[in-house]
Amino acid sequence: MTAQLIDGNALSKQLRSEVATRAQALKAKGVTPGLAVVLVGDNQASQVYVRNKVKACEDAGLHSVLEKYEASMTEADLLARVEALNNDPSIHGILVQLPLPAHIDAQKVIEAISPAKDVDGFHIASAGALMTGMPGFWPCTPYGCMKMLESINYDLKGKHAVVIGRSNIVGKPMALMLLQKNATVTICHSGTKDLKAMTLQADVIVAAVGKRNVLTADMVKPGAVVLDVGMNRNDEGKLCGDVDFEGVKQVASHITPVPGGVGPMTITMLLVNTLEAAERASN
Ligand code: GUN
């Protein structure tokens, strides 16, 4: 068997065009959805990420503001900026790019963002809303994974989903989203004794560890759906995921490639969340 690809670029294109249409409708009512992206310091990868986020906003007709600050910015000054953005009616979503310089308490900054503008879904109120099934913003990467499953009309009810990785940004919220769709969910992590025994039982596997070849063909049940959240470099310096793509695609029914899989979906769901924030604010 050769797995069918779940194309994150194609799905993103479709979802972003839906965002653009909804943004137009809001603008007609006098509200332009606005995202503020705050970058502190000169982390190279972060510079690329925020540029891509701002560009994606522009392309979808969303207003965006990029605020760049020196790495020496104090925590108090950053908290004051977040507070100003909380009170700015032209801004519906606030994203403080992580990582922050070591002298700034990132969690404190995240908690300072108004939950109504927390389009990253990192605030404790957002995490609690997800956990309890209340309205709130879902973290973009696992939310994008759910959209990918939706795009292949995958019914999670009664299926066994195995999530590899337990980060607050991907693994834990991913597990809660799968649970909400009535999957039986197992979270595996560095302390898991026999990962292969777990993944071999899975109908859906989400690999979100940040390490190459965490999932190989011998660990996958034939016909399983495999989502690869990893972003790593191989020996030749080429972008690769956590999954041994060439091997696993021979066993899985569906698989996401890296690049062009989950990656583009993260920014797409940021646009969706920002639009949603603006729609909620305008109602
Ligand atoms: N750094 C890496 N990914 C992300 C993300 O999704 N949001 C924020 N705020 N920072 C990040």
Side-chain angles (χ1 to χ4, degrees):
M1 186 183 342
T2 302
Q4 215 172 304
L5 286 191
I6 309 179
D7 182 343
N9 285 322
L11 181 56
S12 282
K13 201 171 157 196
Q14 181 200 323
L15 292 172
R16 290 183 197 198
S17 109
E18 287 168 22
V19 166
T21 306
R22 281 164 66 189
Q24 279 304 325
L26 261 189
K27 278 193 214 173
K29 291 203 285 178
V31 179
T32 301
L35 174 71
V37 179
V38 181
L39 175 64
V40 184
D42 44 21
N43 182 298
Q44 291 293 310
S46 291
Q47 307 231 17
V48 176
Y49 290 143
V50 299
R51 246 197 332 265
N52 290 341
K53 288 169 186 177
V54 168
K55 165 90 169 46
C57 280
E58 280 169 13
D59 291 348
L62 272 53
H63 165 63
S64 67
V65 185
L66 174 57
E67 298 194 2
K68 282 183 168 182
Y69 298 104
E70 300 286 328
S72 58
M73 183 185 212
T74 66
E75 183 180 280
D77 283 348
L78 180 55
L79 290 170
R81 271 317 301 155
V82 168
E83 189 52 26
L85 292 166
N86 282 340
N87 295 320
D88 182 341
S90 74
I91 294 300
H92 305 96
I94 302 170
L95 181 149
V96 178
Q97 187 67 24
L98 304 177
L100 286 168
H103 66 276
I104 297 177
D105 180 343
Q107 199 56 43
K108 195 166 163 184
V109 174
I110 289 166
E111 300 317 327
I113 297 170
S114 163
K117 298 190 178 187
D118 177 37
V119 288
D120 252 334
F122 293 170
H123 195 286
I124 291 183
S126 302
L130 170 59
M131 184 167 203
T132 52
M134 301 291 284
F137 293 109
W138 285 6
C140 301
T141 301
Y143 191 10
C145 289
M146 294 304 285
K147 286 285 172 192
M148 294 182 109
L149 290 174
E150 210 180 292
S151 77
I152 59 164
N153 296 314
Y154 192 82
D155 183 7
L156 281 159
K157 184 164 186 255
K159 298 294 196 326
H160 188 182
V162 169
V163 179
I164 316 174
R166 56 174 157 183
S167 70
N168 289 337
I169 294 177
V170 184
K172 281 190 244 177
M174 183 82 253
L176 289 167
M177 289 173 203
L178 293 162
L179 182 64
Q180 198 179 96
K181 293 290 179 190
N182 300 312
T184 299
V185 183
T186 302
I187 304 178
C188 297
H189 47 79
S190 52
T192 298
K193 284 220 175 85
D194 188 349
L195 179 61
K196 181 176 170 180
M198 297 295 154
T199 57
L200 274 175
Q201 295 177 36
D203 302 303
V204 178
I205 303 172
V206 182
V209 178
K211 219 168 82 185
R212 277 168 62 193
N213 296 331
V214 157
L215 191 74
T216 47
D218 58 306
M219 300 167 73
V220 177
K221 182 169 79 174
V225 175
V226 175
L227 306 182
D228 189 350
V229 180
M231 284 251 261
N232 313 297
R233 298 269 167 196
N234 67 14
D235 293 336
E236 290 92 55
K238 259 181 61 187
L239 199 63
C240 67
D242 290 355
V243 174
D244 171 25
F245 182 78
E246 290 306 322
V248 171
K249 80 171 185 203
Q250 306 299 329
V251 186
S253 68
H254 295 79
I255 189 167
T256 65
V258 178
V262 175
M265 293 299 293
T266 298
I267 294 186
T268 299
M269 301 323 291
L270 174 67
L271 301 180
V272 170
N273 279 348
T274 302
L275 179 80
E276 187 78 32
E279 285 177 346
R280 287 178 201 174
S282 75
N283 283 332

